[in-house]
Amino acid sequence: MGYFKTAMLMAAMTALFMGLGYLMAGSGGMIIALVIAGAMNAFTWWNSDRMVLRMHNAHPVGANDRSGLSQMVAELARNADMPVPAVYLIDTPQPNAFATGRNPQNAAVAVTTGLMRTLSREELAGVVAHELAHIRNHDTAIMTVTATFAGAISMLANFALFFGGSRERLGIVGTLAMMILAPLAAGLVQMAISRTREYAADKAGAEICGQPLWLASALERIQAGASRIDNDAAERNPATAHMFIINPLHAHKRDSLFATHPATENRIAALRQMAGGAAPHPQPRRAAQAPWGGEAPREPQDKSRGPWG
């Protein structure tokens, strides 16, 4: 049902884009709009991972990092029967994580230093498994395409007043309404796709790590941290908010049309149901110990270099 809903929402996004092109310049405008969207998607498809990682100043983590994060990602990727993605660290105190890449062969998992310090070994494994599920399900590619479509629709809507065809078909009031409603509709579809894929990734991630309660406990901790700790890079680039496991922008505590993520309590409830209704057990914390049995990540002395040297 999740894949069917995603397909229907993608079809709605495509129809909206084509309809906007038609209203602006007839059948020729519809074709031009599709060509523009195709070019934008092709560029984003090949460069999305590098672009997003650069936006958040992510630093690559080597295979032999002392925290054991790379080892964890590799082991869970083997459990998921998928290629091992690149691993990145983002130097921000907000606990969070995301995955990016056009396919499982060209993907990356990025976690924040705040996540490494906040979660237990088991909770971190649940988060990594969730992000691997996004990669394996090709969600990173889907969200890249929908984000590009949404941006293209907003761009075309802003151009609407410069095309006589749209004024003739809709009038000035209709054209102004289209400029407002078309980007809004595109954003709603994009958010709906994101919420649909989060539930699917929670389920698949719990299956990859084998313990739904690990992820449930992690979501609870991340929500508590993200709601009170700012993520400056995410605030500067709000279009990437839907990629994170928890909304980094402190928005919407419940399911709604305008939420990029499902309500965290609903996600936790679904994971507990997978585990038979048990409540997650809080994991003991040791500030000086990293979650996977290695050393805790250190703050970089030289801000031009990553926390891993």
Side-chain angles (χ1 to χ4, degrees), residues 53 60-61 73 84-88 106-110 135:
L53 292 168
V61 177
V73 173
V84 179
V87 183
Y88 285 80
N106 298 275
V109 171
I135 296 171

Side-chain angles (χ1 to χ4, degrees), residues 2-25:
Y3 284 105
F4 178 77
K5 183 177 179 181
T6 299
M8 291 298 98
L9 291 169
M10 287 288 291
M13 181 80 81
T14 304
L16 177 62
F17 190 81
M18 295 175 65
L20 183 60
Y22 178 79
L23 289 174
M24 291 176 63

Side-chain angles (χ1 to χ4, degrees), residues 117-264:
R117 293 188 175 91
T118 301
L119 302 190
S120 69
R121 170 180 182 262
E122 292 79 8
E123 291 164 342
L124 181 60
V127 171
V128 170
H130 170 97
E131 299 305 333
L132 292 176
H134 274 310
I135 296 171
R136 191 178 67 179
N137 294 344
H138 295 271
D139 293 341
T140 52
I142 291 172
M143 294 313 302
T144 295
V145 171
T146 56
T148 305
F149 261 116
I153 288 171
S154 297
M155 179 187 68
L156 287 179
N158 289 331
F159 289 160
L161 285 177
F162 297 98
F163 290 85
S166 63
R167 293 193 297 272
E168 293 172 3
R169 290 178 176 83
L170 302 175
I172 187 65
V173 175
T175 300
L176 290 173
M178 179 183 68
M179 291 177 62
I180 298 171
L181 296 178
L184 177 61
L188 292 177
V189 172
Q190 181 188 5
M191 292 173 187
I193 292 174
S194 177
R195 294 196 300 271
T196 298
R197 302 319 308 153
E198 286 302 319
Y199 279 121
D202 284 346
K203 182 177 184 296
E207 292 169 351
I208 290 171
C209 70
Q211 294 290 340
L213 295 185
W214 292 358
L215 180 55
S217 181
L219 290 175
E220 196 168 27
R221 289 184 187 273
I222 296 171
Q223 180 63 58
S227 63
R228 59 182 177 82
I229 302 173
D230 290 336
N231 185 327
D232 293 334
E235 297 290 346
R236 291 193 300 268
N237 302 282
T240 64
H242 68 277
M243 300 177 63
F244 286 84
I245 189 170
I246 292 290
N247 189 347
L249 305 179
H250 312 311
H252 301 292
K253 296 182 179 180
R254 60 184 181 276
D255 283 333
S256 72
L257 285 176
F258 297 96
T260 59
H261 292 67
T264 303

Side-chain angles (χ1 to χ4, degrees), residues 199 202 212 264-276:
Y199 279 121
D202 284 346
T264 303
E265 55 266 29
N266 293 347
R267 297 169 66 183
I268 291 173
L271 289 165
R272 290 180 179 176
Q273 187 175 12
M274 283 185 66

